[in-house]
């Protein structure tokens, strides 16, 4: 079986570290210390609290946090290792703090982007106006394996494609946020966002009386409501919602169980489901019961062995037939991968403008598409300064970080780029912001990114304040990837 | 001309099947030159679960196996009125963009074998070249039943040098796409001259030619489809246009018997 | 509730109970070894038998040695019924049914597994054995307490209890099955010291020494032991007690679902046919035959519950 790639342990692949040579460390923007060592205002109250704390107590708290996580079982499974091996994602006790004003702008930008993604998906699986208008080249879609023909002409219930989206953001300065990647398939990590907050509340209750932090705990309730609001026409009465997991050995199983638990709904696997009376139904102790909305954490390819990969043992044969006949809502809709593909990413500014008629609020990281000759020439000439990514790759597979690469690796990539330029994009190395982490020898700056979680239903869009902050725990490292020792932080959005 | 069709597919299993699903594409498509007078599909041993029109505008019905069945009988029958269109199906319809039919699939990826055929294809204009292609594919793959496998790709069939209508269609489609032309797979019924009983359902290909629209090519018989050809389902390849496809649980072995009568009524 | 979840709860409970029973068997074995001279090979063999792990042990080891027997029962990776293996499976089931458990119940199972993994990472030295055994007992008690104290009394709870009592009844019946010969009237007539030890072993392996004295009296007799382990209504490990609880919990489900199924009929039959006689009648019938039949019924009932409540596909 091909591993189901968890997007949390799969994304980051950003740019390169400032401080690894070329950049002046003074350029680096620390979200707590600013650029000049002056504590930035969102952190003022926290800094005051911190200065009264002693290191020994914090160290004890830090250990306590780890014990808590281990006990709760918040672990992820590591591929390629013995099946029972479960690892903890390191948790750092210093929160990442965003002011209400900063968040307001981000939130508007995120909403705009998600609305555009959804409109793009609807268009691309129907009339393809954006291709007719020439704003996105036809071959970007035509040659894209993420385009799912089975979705052509299919209107998902309520018109919603991306019920749950994760937008990965990075920051380079006080007002400079960039979207690094959109996650429109099955974004993970939200359980860490929730558990991180719970842990902070348990360990430092006093911090929350000093700071007005916007709560995140409504997320499961909002998710359930949002999913229920997307129920299909076949639904009678209160919608039955369930979470579909690939199973107990999946790297994100903990999260699947966690979300089902918090929403008070069933956690099902493919073999719990059958098609009964025209509906996808789960085997309960009292017989088969129809499901109206299925929050699936199984990739498209594995979702339905009748219609997609016949080898899949994780899916439900015939679920696509029921879906197309209007008997169930699948969240996210199949085929959303066409919108978060790396090649499409570079067109997001055009996509946002095309569907919203507005200027994009959030910036994209400038991207060279290597299938364009001029871009390819530039990329080849500046390979050692750039990050080159495979268009369809994820999790940092097949990626080159120019400034960190050896001569041999650069040569190798040059060859690959010339052979299949259309398979690659390139981006500049960004000077990513840092937030302090708590280390044995005190606070130390580490690079971070942010994944806010966005819910969409026919009733509207809901962005949970904050999201999941991932942090590279090693000095100078930009890899926030949890499978490579990246950690997480609680993310605060303040009520200004 | 009216064609009366009786198509019976009889599956038997070596052990009771605990569960499974069958997807049927057994309803002749609305097509220029083809009109349904009557049509019905009945299934014994399974229960209808879903019905929809797919992205190729095929009428699809999905059934689930009744618990522990050991046989399944699928009967489709009816009468279709046919008028000659010289193999021309006409303009592209529906939401699937034409470029979709230029995408190779696993079964229709052009490799060494296809490229070799393509090198020798001649003709003035696409239509002539497609006719020439049909002739060459026909020559490259001898029609022989019982020796090919359903999972074969176009290249597999070319390497073997023999195959059935499915293989002919796949190779033709792979080559047409490699020529930059949209092409698709058609499954349906063919009344062979002078015989009511047919050995199997048939398959052929269609390519899209500027100005004409979709044009049919029956590589196996080296002709263009006429009033003896009833179009049932289309797709990018066999997997999307198969009359019946299924997924079963359990370990039972499957045996399939098909009886098919296509009779000319007037 | 999903059929799979019901099955997961049922098995989680069975496995937790099994681990506790196995550790109690080890304790019993240790106790005998301390109270007499000699290698104790026979005693350990019967302990292995009562814990239903003798067959595998004998496949691996030619000779029954105390430390090998203990290691086998606690942690030998070749023994799928070792305490470590059983708790790992119990936790696996708990993860599977995570959404049906309270936070406390899940954490109790998870921490049990974590601590046990640490405690059994290496072979346990004899002097550390009491500590490890008490860890198993205490952690099991904690799980039970978390379940009792925090779980709703609903179908989830019912399936947990059903699993617990099936496993417990099975365990008690198995001990009787392995040891029935020392309870036979012919053996009682001998009245040797050896028999006293054997009887003591039986009582200890169900933690029943104190309870016996309270309910039956100071004299340990085969009749008394059989009465206590099979028919006593207050002894929480007696067959009668377990079967009654099984029937009760199945009946709660029947009421809750408003549906009586074949398993309910079977549980009734089990109680009516096997738990309403007096102990003399059982001896007349044949203790061995009686216990064999009870074991057979328990197996059938367990299977019927799986079917009736759709644990599997």
């Amino acid at each position: 079986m091909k591993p189901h790639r968890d997007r949390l342990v799969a994304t980051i692949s950003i740019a390169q570290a400032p401080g690894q040579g070329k950049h002046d460390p003074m350029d680096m923007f620390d979200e707590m210390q600013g650029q000049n060592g002056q504590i930035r205002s969102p952190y003022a109250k926290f800094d005051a609290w911190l200065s009264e704390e002693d290191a020994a107590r914090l160290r004890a708290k830090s250990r306590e946090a780890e014990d808590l996580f281990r006990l709760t079982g918040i672990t992820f499974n590591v591929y390629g290792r013995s099946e029972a091996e479960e690892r903890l994602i390191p948790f750092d006790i210093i929160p990442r703090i965003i002011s209400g004003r900063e968040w307001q702008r981000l939130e508007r930008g995120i909403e705009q982007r998600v609305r555009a993604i959804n409109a793009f998906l609807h268009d691309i699986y129907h009339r393809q106006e954006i291709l007719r208008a020439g704003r996105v080249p036809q071959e970007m879609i035509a040659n894209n394996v993420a385009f799912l023909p089975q979705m052509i002409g299919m209107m998902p219930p309520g018109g919603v494609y991306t019920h749950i989206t994760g937008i990965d953001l990075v920051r380079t300065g006080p007002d400079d946020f960039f979207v690094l990647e959109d996650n429109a398939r099955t974004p993970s990590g939200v359980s860490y966002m929730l558990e991180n907050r719970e842990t902070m509340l348990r360990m430092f209750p006093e911090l929350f009386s000093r700071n007005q932090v916007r709560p995140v705990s409504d997320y499961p309730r909002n998710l359930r409501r949002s999913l229920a609001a997307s129920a299909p026409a076949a639904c009678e009465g209160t919608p039955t919602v369930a979470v579909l997991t690939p199973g107990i050995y999946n790297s994100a199983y903990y999260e699947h169980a966690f979300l089902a638990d918090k929403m008070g709904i069933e956690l099902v696997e493919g073999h719990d489901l059958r098609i009964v009376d025209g509906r996808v139904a789960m085997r309960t102790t009292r017989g088969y019961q129809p499901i109206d909305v299925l929050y699936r954490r199984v990739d498209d390819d594995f979702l339905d062995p009748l219609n997609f990969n016949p080898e899949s043992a994780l899916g439900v044969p015939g679920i696509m037939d029921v879906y197309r006949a209007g008997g169930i809502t699948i969240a996210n809709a199949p085929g959303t991968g066409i919108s978060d593909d790396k090649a499409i990413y570079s067109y997001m500014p055009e996509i946002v403008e095309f569907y919203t008629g507005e200027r994009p609020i959030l910036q994209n990281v400038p991207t060279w598409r290597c299938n364009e000759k001029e871009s390819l020439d530039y990329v080849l000439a500046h390979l050692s300064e750039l990050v080159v990514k495979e268009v369809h790759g994820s999790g940092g597979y097949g990626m080159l970080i120019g400034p960190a690469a050896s001569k041999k690796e650069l040569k190798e990539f040059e060859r690959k780029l010339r052979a299949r330029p259309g398979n690659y994009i390139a981006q500049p190395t960004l000077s990513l912001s840092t937030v302090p982490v708590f280390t044995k020898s005190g606070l130390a700056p580490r690079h971070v990114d942010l994944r806010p979680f966005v819910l969409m239903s026919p009733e509207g869009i809901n962005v949970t304040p904050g999201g999941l902050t991932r942090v590279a725990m090693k000095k100078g490292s930009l890899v926030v990837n949890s499978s490579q020792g990246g950690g997480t932080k609680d993310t605060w959005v303040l009520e200004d | 001309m009216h064609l009366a069709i009786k198509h019976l597919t009889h599956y038997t299993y070596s052990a009771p099947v605990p569960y499974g699903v069958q997807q049927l594409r057994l309803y002749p498509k609305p097509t220029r030159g083809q009109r349904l007078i009557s049509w019905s599909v009945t299934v014994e041993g399974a229960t209808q679960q879903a019905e929809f029109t797919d992205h190729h505008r095929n009428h699809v019905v999905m059934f689930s196996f009744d618990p522990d069945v050991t046989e399944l009988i699928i009967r489709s029958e009816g009468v279709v009125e046919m008028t000659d269109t010289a193999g021309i199906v006409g303009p592209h319809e529906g939401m699937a963009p034409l470029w979709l039919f230029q995408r190779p699939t696993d079964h229709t990826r052009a490799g060494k074998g296809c490229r070799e055929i393509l090198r020798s294809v001649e003709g003035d204009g696409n239509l002539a070249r497609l006719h020439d292609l049909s002739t060459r594919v026909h020559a490259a793959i001898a029609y022989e039943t019982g020796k090919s496998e359903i999972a074969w790709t176009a290249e597999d069939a070319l390497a073997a040098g023999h195959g059935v209508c499915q293989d002919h269609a796949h190779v033709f489609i792979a080559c047409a796409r490699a020529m930059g032309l949209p092409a698709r797979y058609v499954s349906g019924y063919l009344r062979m001259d002078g015989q009511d009983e047919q050995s199997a359902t048939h398959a052929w290909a269609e390519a899209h030619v500027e100005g004409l629209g979709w044009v049919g090519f029956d590589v196996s018989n080296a002709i263009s489809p006429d009033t003896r050809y009833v179009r049932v389902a289309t797709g990018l390849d066999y997997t999307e246009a198969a009359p019946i496809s299924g997924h079963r649980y359990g370990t039972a072995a499957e045996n399939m018997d098909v009886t098919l009568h296509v009779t000319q009524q007037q | 509730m999903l059929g799979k979840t019901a099955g997961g709860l049922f098995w989680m409970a069975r496995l937790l109970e099994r681990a506790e029973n196995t550790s109690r068997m080890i304790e019993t074995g240790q106790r005998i070894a301390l109270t007499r001279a000699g290698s104790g090979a026979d005693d350990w063999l019967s302990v292995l038998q009562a814990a239903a792990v003798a067959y595998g042990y004998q496949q691996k080891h030619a000779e029954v040695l105390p430390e090998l027997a203990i290691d086998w029962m606690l942690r030998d990776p070749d023994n799928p019924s070792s305490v470590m293996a059983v708790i790992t499976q119990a936790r696996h089931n708990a993860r599977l049914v995570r959404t049906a458990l309270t936070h406390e119940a899940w954490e109790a199972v998870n921490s049990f597994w974590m601590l046990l993994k640490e405690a059994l990472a290496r072979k346990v030295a004899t002097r550390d054995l009491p500590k490890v055994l008490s860890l198993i007992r205490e952690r099991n008690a904690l799980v039970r307490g978390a379940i009792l104290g925090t779980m709703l009394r609903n179908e989830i709870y019912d399936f947990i209890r059903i699993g617990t009592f099936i496993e417990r009844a099975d365990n008690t019946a198995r001990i009787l099955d392995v040891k029935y010969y020392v309870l036979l009237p012919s053996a009682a007539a001998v009245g040797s010291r050896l028999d006293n030890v054997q009887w003591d072993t039986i009582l200890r392996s169900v933690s029943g020494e104190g309870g016996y004295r309270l309910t039956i009296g100071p004299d340990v007799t085969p009749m008394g032991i059989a009465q206590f382990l099979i028919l006593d209504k207050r002894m929480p490990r007696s067959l009668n007690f377990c079967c009654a609880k099984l029937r009760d919990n199945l009946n709660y489900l029947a009421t809750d679902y408003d549906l009586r199924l074949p398993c309910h009929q079977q549980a009734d039959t089990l109680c009516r046919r096997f738990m309403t006689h007096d102990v003399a009648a059982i001896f007349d019938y044949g203790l061995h035959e009686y216990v064999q039949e009870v074991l057979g019924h328990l197996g059938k009932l367990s299977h019927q519950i799986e079917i009736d409540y759709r644990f599997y596909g």
Side-chain angles (χ1 to χ4, degrees), chain A residues 122 125-126 150-157 161 323-326 328:
Chain A
H122 180 268
Y125 287 120
H126 291 84
Q150 282 89 343
M151 286 301 289
I152 294 171
M154 164 75 203
M155 181 62 143
Y161 286 83
Y323 183 56
R324 287 156 92 170
I328 191 167

Side-chain angles (χ1 to χ4, degrees), chain C residues 7-310:
Chain C
L9 292 161
F10 174 86
W11 278 106
M12 177 192 79
R14 279 198 80 152
L15 293 162
L16 286 164
E17 180 70 23
R18 187 172 298 174
E20 185 173 335
N21 292 333
T22 305
S23 70
R24 195 179 293 108
M25 297 308 302
I26 298 171
E27 222 159 343
T28 310
Q30 270 299 84
R31 168 85 195 173
I32 308 170
L34 295 175
T35 51
R36 70 155 99 207
S39 78
D42 289 350
D43 294 317
W44 277 109
L45 181 60
S46 78
V47 164
L48 288 166
Q49 283 166 341
V53 295
Y55 180 77
Y57 178 92
Q58 285 170 318
Q59 295 288 303
K60 180 164 178 173
H61 303 292
E63 207 180 338
V64 179
L65 295 173
E67 73 262 36
L68 285 180
I70 291 169
D71 196 58
W72 181 255
M73 292 168 84
L74 277 181
R75 55 179 288 279
D76 193 311
D78 291 334
N79 178 12
S81 298
S82 73
V83 172
M84 190 67 242
V86 162
I87 290 302
T88 303
Q89 288 170 51
R91 178 191 180 256
H92 177 93
N93 278 283
R95 269 190 96 197
L96 200 67
V97 302
R98 175 64 192 83
T99 53
L101 300 175
T102 54
H103 207 72
E104 286 89 338
W106 156 249
E107 285 188 6
V109 176
N110 195 34
S111 61
F112 185 1
W113 173 75
M114 289 191 300
L115 289 168
L116 195 68
K117 218 164 63 151
E118 212 173 281
L120 297 181
R122 278 166 299 280
K123 205 168 203 162
V124 179
T126 314
R127 65 184 144 79
D128 294 333
L129 190 61
K131 212 169 66 194
V132 170
L133 294 175
S134 79
L135 170 94
I136 297 169
R137 219 174 27 233
E138 281 167 23
R139 284 289 148 176
N140 233 320
L142 201 67
V143 172
R144 197 178 300 123
I147 291 169
L148 274 166
T150 64
M151 304 271 298
L152 292 177
R153 297 308 191 258
N154 58 9
E155 51 185 343
I156 296 174
Y157 189 77
D158 297 336
F159 281 111
I160 291 177
R161 300 287 279 175
I162 289 166
T164 303
F165 287 111
I166 273 228
E167 180 69 24
R168 192 178 290 173
D170 189 71
N171 182 61
T172 301
R174 239 175 320 102
I175 292 170
L176 285 165
D177 194 38
V178 172
K179 292 284 186 181
Y180 77 94
Y181 55 89
V182 302
L183 297 176
L184 295 180
S186 54
V190 182
S192 66
R193 194 184 158 274
L194 178 74
D195 293 318
N196 281 321
V197 172
Q198 296 276 18
W199 296 342
D200 194 40
T201 309
I202 298 176
L203 285 177
R204 280 185 184 280
S205 51
V206 293
S207 292
E209 326 88 271
Y212 183 91
R213 278 196 301 278
L214 275 174
T215 51
I216 313 283
D219 292 335
V220 180
T221 65
M223 222 44 152
I225 291 177
Q227 165 73 31
F228 186 59
L229 257 59
I230 297 173
L231 297 174
D232 197 281
K233 286 198 171 93
R234 295 151 295 185
M235 161 61 179
R237 301 189 164 270
S238 78
L239 293 182
N240 196 3
F241 184 94
C242 294
C243 291
K245 285 289 181 192
L246 251 177
R247 187 186 50 189
D248 290 350
N249 280 283
L250 281 167
N251 282 340
Y252 299 150
L253 281 175
T255 309
D256 196 6
Y257 288 17
D258 196 16
L259 184 65
R260 279 186 71 81
L261 296 158
C263 64
H264 298 104
Q265 185 58 45
Q266 284 189 18
D268 283 347
T269 307
L270 180 66
C271 292
R272 225 184 25 253
R273 264 182 60 195
F274 294 95
M275 304 304 149
T276 53
H277 307 283
D278 63 27
V279 70
I282 293 173
F283 275 95
D284 279 350
Y285 181 80
L287 181 58
H288 181 59
E289 291 75 7
Y290 172 86
V291 170
Q292 284 285 322
E293 280 191 41
V294 170
L295 276 169
H297 265 78
L298 284 169
K300 256 170 56 188
L301 176 57
S302 179
H303 184 59
Q304 194 61 46
I305 293 168
E306 283 175 9
I307 295 170
D308 289 350
Y309 290 106
R310 302 157 195 268

